[in-house]
């Protein structure tokens, strides 16, 4: 994903502020990346290069660590983060169907962001709301007993309209 010059400038500024509180020891790499992620919501390439320069290590070493641990996000999150629970209860109640529905409606895959950066989609482990399965969490708000029709309704609440032709047969009927 391409970052604007403004995004790069903010990332470098924030990363610089974080690096001021860390010594140049290689052992600080993960805590630094965690703080960058916490501050920016992701770890951009320009921040990794700045961290590498601060620690005196090759940028590829920083990239290797950032891509090894799945806690690090390398692209900016969408304005609205959609997390589909795939815990045991949600899986048994059709979590995969709901995840596929989100993917089709947004036109993105898991861990991607829509081109307008409005939505990002994640697959997460149990969110602890098993009695409400299948569950989707949008911007930390839990939505239970989600159906494909409910996915359309949730998107509609954000101003997204689903063209009629995009709905598959049977999806429009919500079972209670």
């Amino acid at each position: 994903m391409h970052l604007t010059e403004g995004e790069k400038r903010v990332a470098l500024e924030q990363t610089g502020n974080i690096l001021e509180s860390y010594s140049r020891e290689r052992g600080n790499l993960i805590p630094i990346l965690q703080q960058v992620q916490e501050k920016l919501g992701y770890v951009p390439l320009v921040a990794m290069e700045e961290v590498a320069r601060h620690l005196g290590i090759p940028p590829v070493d920083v990239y290797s660590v950032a891509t090894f641990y799945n806690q690090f996000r390398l692209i900016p999150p969408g304005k609205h983060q959609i997390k589909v629970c795939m815990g045991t209860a949600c899986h048994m109640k059709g979590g995969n169907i709901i995840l596929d529905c989100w993917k089709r409606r947004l036109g993105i895959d898991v861990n991607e962001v829509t081109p307008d950066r409005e939505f990002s989609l994640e697959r997460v482990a149990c969110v602890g709301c098993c009695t409400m399965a299948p569950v989707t969490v949008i911007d930390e708000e839990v939505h239970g007993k989600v159906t494909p029709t409910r996915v359309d309704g949730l998107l509609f609440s954000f101003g997204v309209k689903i063209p009629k032709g995009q709905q598959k047969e049977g999806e429009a009927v919500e079972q209670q």
Side-chain angles (χ1 to χ4, degrees):
M1 179 167 276
H2 180 73
L3 299 180
T4 64
E5 288 304 316
E7 290 171 325
K8 288 179 185 176
R9 188 179 59 252
V10 168
L12 285 173
E13 189 179 298
Q14 297 292 333
T15 303
N17 292 340
I18 291 166
L19 291 174
E20 287 176 6
S21 59
Y22 284 95
S23 66
R24 299 181 182 271
E25 295 172 39
R26 188 184 179 108
N28 289 329
L29 176 56
I30 291 177
I32 290 171
L33 292 177
Q34 288 171 327
Q35 265 209 296
V36 170
Q37 167 108 355
E38 185 180 316
K39 195 73 174 180
L40 299 173
Y42 69 112
V43 183
L45 211 52
V46 291
M48 286 189 247
E49 291 168 349
E50 195 64 20
V51 171
R53 194 175 2 268
H54 177 78
L55 297 177
I57 60 177
V60 69
D61 288 358
V62 177
Y63 183 78
S64 297
V65 169
T67 55
F68 179 79
Y69 295 103
N70 65 7
Q71 68 175 295
F72 296 117
R73 170 187 273 280
L74 304 183
I75 57 172
K79 182 178 173 188
H80 302 289
Q81 296 179 36
I82 298 171
K83 300 172 184 170
V84 180
C85 180
M86 295 305 291
T88 303
C90 288
H91 177 75
M92 296 303 291
K93 292 279 196 167
N96 279 331
I97 294 169
I98 302 307
L99 181 61
D100 286 343
C101 188
W102 281 112
K103 290 183 335 188
R104 279 193 310 273
R105 297 300 188 249
L106 296 172
I108 59 174
D109 208 338
V110 171
N111 296 328
E112 290 183 350
V113 180
T114 55
D116 61 2
R117 293 191 183 182
E118 280 293 311
F119 300 98
S120 54
L121 181 62
E122 291 179 52
R123 172 192 188 123
V124 296
C126 185
V127 295
C129 301
C130 300
T131 59
M132 299 167 62
V135 170
T136 294
V137 179
I138 304 174
D139 299 334
E140 308 308 321
E141 184 179 340
V142 176
H143 300 271
K145 301 190 185 305
V146 176
T147 63
T149 302
R150 184 107 190 273
V151 168
D152 292 346
L154 290 168
L155 279 172
F156 186 73
S157 71
F158 290 101
V160 177
K161 292 182 181 170
I162 307 298
K164 278 199 176 226
Q166 196 174 358
Q167 294 178 334
K168 290 197 170 193
E169 195 171 305
E171 284 187 348
V173 178
E174 186 171 44
Q175 303 286 327
Q176 291 291 329

